[in-house]
């Protein structure tokens, strides 16, 4: 029998409070798979166009299925390897200069990254092609230099934006500095760091196209072949595939950013 007195702190509907909305998982998977499905339709449209369009012999030679597949794989290798190298180099450096004893070095390190970013991408690729010989290796080094700043800056910002009270509380509980970095700071900085990786990878997809001028291969070689031969269909097809690749890389890294984001953020 109720006397009309209720505990204001009592939870009246714990099941509803604990569970996610019914369609949240379905909506998430739709969001994850929607963009790849759309990009796949675009690729199918490109294949249909190449198969049935009235192309001359030069255009057919430049737009073979094996040639486009090889160029796409080389493009992915350029972007993937350069992005991985940037992560290996920029994230530890960002962690280093975010430590209290090394923060005076932050303006110098970021300034060097700004210099590399401010140079036109064509100039960076040509410069490193001269230094390291034209080809795949020189293009990878150039992409590493050009994409270094976004990951470095986001690593520094991600670590600096953590509430100092959280770090001090962890140290007050007896955690060492390395353990605080590993278990507190890095997990909280993951979303910002991954946003930098996402930016760097998308920049790499576009910049790698210019690598064809130094014999690095990739979809840029198809674009360049279409320009040299004055074949607009070749340029359009290769440009569409490059855009599809950039959107796909951006989407995949966006999904990774969502999945790896710590709960509660």
């Amino acid at each position: 029998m109720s006397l009309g007195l209720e505990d204001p702190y009592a939870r009246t509907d714990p099941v509803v409070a604990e569970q996610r909305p019914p369609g949240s998982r379905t909506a998430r998977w739709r969001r994850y798979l929607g963009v790849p499905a759309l990009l796949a339709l675009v690729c199918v449209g490109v294949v249909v166009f190449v198969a049935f369009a009235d192309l001359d012999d030069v255009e057919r030679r430049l737009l073979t299925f094996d040639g486009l597949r090889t160029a796409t794989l080389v493009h992915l290798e350029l972007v993937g390897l350069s992005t991985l190298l940037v992560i290996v180099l920029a994230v530890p450096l960002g962690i280093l200069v975010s430590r209290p004893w090394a923060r005076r070095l932050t303006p110098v390190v970021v300034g060097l990254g700004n210099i590399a970013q401010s140079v036109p991408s064509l100039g960076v690729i040509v410069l490193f092609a001269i230094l390291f010989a034209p080809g795949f290796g020189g293009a990878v080094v150039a992409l590493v230099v050009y994409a270094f700043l976004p990951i470095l800056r986001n690593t520094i910002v991600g670590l600096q934006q953590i509430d100092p009270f959280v770090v001090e509380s962890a140290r007050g509980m007896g955690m060492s500095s390395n353990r605080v970095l590993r278990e507190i700071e890095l997990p909280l900085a993951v979303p910002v760091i991954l946003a930098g990786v996402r930016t760097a990878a998308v920049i790499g997809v576009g910049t790698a196209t210019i690598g064809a001028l130094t014999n690095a291969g990739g979809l840029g070689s198809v674009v360049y072949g279409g320009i040299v031969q004055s074949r607009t269909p070749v340029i359009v097809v290769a440009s569409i595939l490059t855009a599809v690749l950039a959107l796909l890389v951006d989407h995949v890294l966006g999904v990774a950013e969502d999945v790896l984001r710590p709960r509660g953020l």
Side-chain angles (χ1 to χ4, degrees):
M1 179 177 179
S2 174
L3 298 178
L5 299 177
E6 297 182 358
D7 184 357
Y9 300 102
R11 297 180 63 185
T12 58
D13 195 357
V15 176
V16 175
E18 294 290 343
Q19 292 182 344
R20 293 179 176 179
S24 62
R25 182 171 297 180
T26 303
R28 176 179 296 182
W29 280 106
R30 286 178 180 173
R31 187 173 71 253
Y32 288 168
L33 300 178
V35 172
L38 180 61
L39 296 178
L41 288 177
V42 173
C43 291
V44 170
V46 170
V47 171
V48 171
F49 170 78
V50 173
F52 295 99
D54 185 17
L55 304 177
D56 58 29
D57 292 339
V58 175
E59 292 167 346
R60 291 288 180 190
R61 178 174 55 83
L62 292 174
L63 294 178
T64 62
F65 177 78
D66 289 339
L68 291 175
R69 181 186 61 184
T70 301
T72 302
L73 291 177
V74 172
H75 209 100
L76 281 173
E77 290 177 5
L78 283 168
V79 176
L81 181 58
S82 61
T83 303
L84 180 61
L85 289 175
V86 175
I87 293 173
V88 171
L89 296 173
V91 172
L93 184 59
I95 294 173
L96 177 65
V97 298
S98 67
R99 301 301 89 191
W101 54 270
R103 285 178 183 170
R104 67 181 66 181
L105 299 176
T106 301
V108 177
V109 174
V110 175
L112 293 175
N114 282 325
I115 293 174
Q117 189 74 34
S118 62
V119 177
S121 55
L122 178 60
V124 173
I125 289 180
V126 172
L127 174 62
F128 282 95
I130 295 173
L131 294 176
F132 294 94
F136 187 89
V140 168
V141 176
L143 291 174
V144 168
V145 173
Y146 201 69
F148 194 82
L149 181 61
I151 298 180
L152 173 66
R153 179 181 291 169
N154 278 46
T155 301
I156 297 172
V157 171
L159 292 170
Q160 289 181 344
Q161 73 176 7
I162 298 173
D163 189 348
F165 178 77
V166 175
V167 177
E168 293 300 326
S169 298
R171 289 177 179 170
M173 295 173 60
M175 298 176 67
S176 64
S177 298
N178 289 335
R179 187 178 176 188
V180 171
L181 174 65
R182 185 175 63 253
E183 299 183 11
I184 304 295
E185 295 182 84
L186 284 179
L188 291 176
V190 159
V192 181
I193 296 174
L194 287 178
V197 173
R198 186 176 178 181
T199 301
V202 175
I203 291 174
V205 173
T207 308
T209 307
I210 309 174
L213 299 176
T214 61
N215 199 31
L219 289 169
S221 61
V222 183
V223 175
Y224 185 67
I227 294 174
V228 171
Q229 299 292 338
S230 299
R231 295 300 194 275
T232 301
V234 177
I235 299 173
V236 171
V237 168
S239 299
I240 290 175
L241 292 178
T242 304
V244 167
L245 191 60
L247 292 172
L248 182 61
V249 168
D250 180 71
H251 178 72
V252 170
L253 292 177
V255 172
E257 183 180 342
D258 189 29
V259 172
L260 298 176
R261 183 186 300 271
R263 293 183 179 181
L265 293 180

